[in-house]
Amino acid sequence: GENVGLHLPTLSVQEGDNSIINCAYSNSASDYFIWYKQESGKGPQFIIDIRSNMDKRQGQRVTVLLNKTVKHLSLQIAATQPGDSAVYFCAENIMGQNFVFGPGTRLSVLP
Amino acid sequence: GAVVSQHPSWVICKSGTSVKIECRSLDFQATTMFWYRQFPKQSLMLMATSNEGSKATYEQGVEKDKFLINHASLTLSTLTVTSAHPEDSSFYICSASAQGASSPLHFGNGTRLTVT
């Protein structure tokens, strides 16, 4: 059921600054990772993905870093804009099994 | 490409009634679709995997008789919440992969269910 009082970790950044959102994943056998952005009242939107044979991948204004040694994934957003305000989820996948989603981080962009 | 459409976007129903939510893949075929439930300020919880032409696979703790899933075609899966109660109020989201396993999931925009 619903966990009353639970709140998402929040990252507040100034507009124009870079944002770094972190995710610790659970399974060392995970071989595929995705970052999703979810705006209020909407479904998650794909941002960028990375496979375990890589440690870095870049998209438009976004970079994903993968550190398999410590099971850590990060999403870097360059020149953060107000439209980037949302909740960001990492998701891990093991050899085509179901995706497991992280708890999420709320990004708040300050004017 | 890879658009998933979900309908309705919100619904209010009375306790004891049933509600059907539709999930369509608009520009690709999906042999597998996934249904998630999301409580406020929480992550997505997988409820079940919907398989075209066969029975859905439910996650532990999800009542299959309460959350009926039908995947009658390669582009449509439905979730019916039967005999809804207020505790079923939640945000339900479907997803599908256009390229099978180990490829991105594309999500619908969710359905906000409120049971009064």
Side-chain angles (χ1 to χ4, degrees):
Chain A
E2 182 174 356
N3 290 328
V4 175
L6 183 71
H7 64 278
L8 288 170
T10 298
L11 173 67
S12 297
V13 298
Q14 211 70 38
E15 181 179 354
D17 287 352
N18 297 334
S19 303
I20 300 177
I21 301 171
N22 297 303
C23 176
Y25 62 93
S26 59
N27 197 318
S28 57
S30 294
D31 56 5
Y32 181 51
F33 305 86
I34 302 179
W35 278 102
Y36 285 95
K37 172 186 180 182
Q38 186 178 26
E39 296 176 277
S40 181
K42 295 185 178 180
Q45 176 187 0
F46 172 90
I47 301 174
I48 192 168
D49 59 357
I50 188 168
R51 299 195 183 271
S52 58
N53 61 350
M54 303 175 69
D55 53 19
K56 180 179 180 179
R57 191 156 187 242
Q58 289 184 293
Q60 186 177 14
R61 274 201 314 120
V62 295
T63 301
V64 55
L65 298 178
L66 174 63
N67 186 330
K68 295 182 288 293
T69 303
V70 295
K71 293 188 291 186
H72 184 267
L73 194 68
S74 69
L75 176 70
Q76 300 177 4
I77 304 174
T80 312
Q81 302 169 0
D84 295 327
S85 293
V87 177
Y88 290 80
F89 293 98
C90 64
E92 61 182 298
N93 185 282
I94 307 171
M95 296 178 63
Q97 302 297 314
N98 293 330
F99 280 91
V100 175
F101 286 80
T105 297
R106 180 176 301 282
L107 176 64
S108 178
V109 181
L110 307 173
Chain B
V3 177
V4 175
S5 175
Q6 192 171 337
H7 179 81
S9 56
W10 61 271
V11 57
I12 301 173
C13 70
K14 293 185 177 180
S15 287
T17 61
S18 296
V19 173
K20 180 185 285 188
I21 303 169
E22 292 187 349
C23 179
R24 295 181 185 272
S25 55
L26 297 186
D27 51 0
F28 66 99
Q29 293 184 330
T31 55
T32 304
M33 291 185 175
F34 303 90
W35 287 96
Y36 292 83
R37 183 173 183 176
Q38 187 178 33
F39 290 108
K41 300 182 181 180
Q42 294 191 30
S43 189
L44 288 79
M45 291 178 50
L46 180 64
M47 298 174 66
T49 302
S50 172
N51 305 299
E52 187 269 335
S54 65
K55 292 182 179 180
T57 305
Y58 289 82
E59 295 300 298
Q60 190 173 10
V62 178
E63 299 176 56
K64 60 179 172 60
D65 294 329
K66 179 166 188 62
F67 299 100
L68 300 179
I69 291 173
N70 184 280
H71 195 153
S73 77
L74 288 172
T75 59
L76 173 64
S77 174
T78 61
L79 169 68
T80 301
V81 183
T82 63
S83 187
H85 289 101
E87 57 264 32
D88 298 325
S89 298
S90 190
F91 193 55
Y92 294 88
I93 317 173
C94 71
S95 71
S97 173
Q99 297 172 325
S102 290
S103 64
L105 289 178
H106 300 279
F107 287 85
N109 263 335
T111 298
R112 171 72 59 194
L113 170 63
T114 302
V115 184
T116 61

